Amino acid sequence: MEGGVVKPDKTEFSECYKTIWRAPYIMRLAMSAGIGGLLFGYDTGVISGALLYIRDDFKQVQKHTWLQEMIVSMAVAGAIFGAAVGGWMNDKFGRKKSIMSADVLFWIGAIIMAFAPTPWVIIIGRLFVGLGVGMASMTAPLYISEASPARIRGALVSTNGLLITGGQFLSYLINLAFTKTRFTWRWMLGVAGIPPMIQFILMWSLPESPRWLYRQNKVDEARDILEKIYPADEVEKEMKALQQSVEEEKLAEESMEYGIFSKIKNAWGNKVVRRGLYAGITVQVAQQFVGINTVMYYSPTIVQLAGYASNKTALALSLITSGLNAAGTIISMLFVDRCGRRRFMIVSMFGIIICLVVLSFMFFQASTHAPPVSLLESNHFGANSTCAAFSSAPNPSSWNCMTCLKASSSCAFCADGANKYNPGACLVLDDATRGSCRAEHRSWYTQGCPSKFGFFAVLLMALYIISYAPGMGTVPWIVNSEIYPLRYRGFGGGTAAVANWTSNLIVSQTFLTLTETLGTAGTFLLFAGFSVLGLIAIFILVPETKGLQFEEVEKMLEKGDRLKLYGNYKRDST
């Protein structure tokens, strides 16, 4: 398994259950390594809730959007570098040591963030976590794949993907659990240090990948592991298959020019690989530019933009989106082989586009129907508590809640106590004024405004996830595991993964800035526009690989027939 996810066939899950029941050691291997996927999901999801409370503790984070984006996206930047380093470490030191190194990085990052005295220390901790995420994202599935029986390999590797979305769901649950504790966000981020300690201890007692051991000429050690994985009458056959595979791999490496630039030149000069890269990179970039990680990284913030002031309420509602994402992964695992990869993605993109356009409309309505700002209500808290931008405005009677929040990063809206849709106060953003507002049982808004459209916006976010998760959420990784010739599969999958992480970084680093510049409605409309372009690119560049052998995929890309690229490739067409 190199450069992508191995997709199980219909019988693999039942076969997997029977096999691990007979040989629990296999499940121990898979689940121990799979903790890396759980950590991957947890550390990418936990920041969405922690950010709400980091903003409360550090006023510079509340006032500077770019600082919030830096805290979120630094883990993504670290993951890009971690994935590159992880590839080198996998080959040099083995899969086991790479996973254990990722655990150390996870643990260091969690401790740094838990005790961070300033936002910049949190950012450093996020960088360490990102390095661990990048290494785990490629090493854990590789180790599981190479240490699993071939007949259930796809099913076991797919569980790693399920653990990633499960980790994201777990992060929302833990965020919600710590909302009433004293050191809210420190617990949320610090508790991530426990799973890597457990995985480190478990991996210490587990063997290295048999494939890596064989490549290092440690044949006897490789055999010992295979004897624990396979029945006695299959071990010799697997040893021969492993020998043949490693020898072919070494011959392929010897026949290629050395050096990264030579490898890139050879890949792009090969018509089949080039067309495969067009398809693989297209689906990975499209996956990010539909805006999914704005929802996963900023989900509670988006809920607050929809009109829910309470941090706890925002986290509870965000739990729905994370749960639907995990459920969508299961749906994809069950039905993608029946429906086809390309069709799944196209239907998914249509659903995403519709949801984003309607979501944009809902946020536009919410901003235009925001409660007005009352001069009387604002003065009620005293002249020193009134936002300076509102006090000096030439026509303050025209202001509403959204005008107040956009006027300055130092302004907040205090809703009317009797009815939050009535005129409220535009006040200075500080702890004392917030306390005065809440003391009168009023709601304090810093992100969005009270809105009757908020429920519909959250509902549309849920529909967006339902549209995304089964199709664009999982299928791009499946396509990238099938679209490249064996000789270039590691390079092709790695190149597409870097495109994915880079697009992820761009989106996560710019989302809050876009909401300030274009408004929330304009930002989601922009993502809808990107989604339309992605849909067109998928329709033109991505072939259907459902049910095809790797050799048949190569023939299809070699011919490049537009009709065959657009539809199912017929095996008898050659």
Side-chain angles (χ1 to χ4, degrees), residues 356-378:
L356 286 173
V357 171
V358 180
L359 193 60
S360 174
F361 174 76
M362 287 297 173
F363 275 109
F364 176 76
Q365 291 297 313
S367 64
T368 55
H369 292 86
V373 174
S374 163
L375 185 61
L376 181 65
E377 285 285 315
S378 300

Side-chain angles (χ1 to χ4, degrees), residues 35 38-39 42 103 170 191-200:
I35 294 175
L38 188 76
L39 282 166
Y42 184 88
D103 288 332
L170 178 64
V191 78
I194 297 174
M197 292 173 62
I198 296 173
Q199 186 179 42
F200 188 91

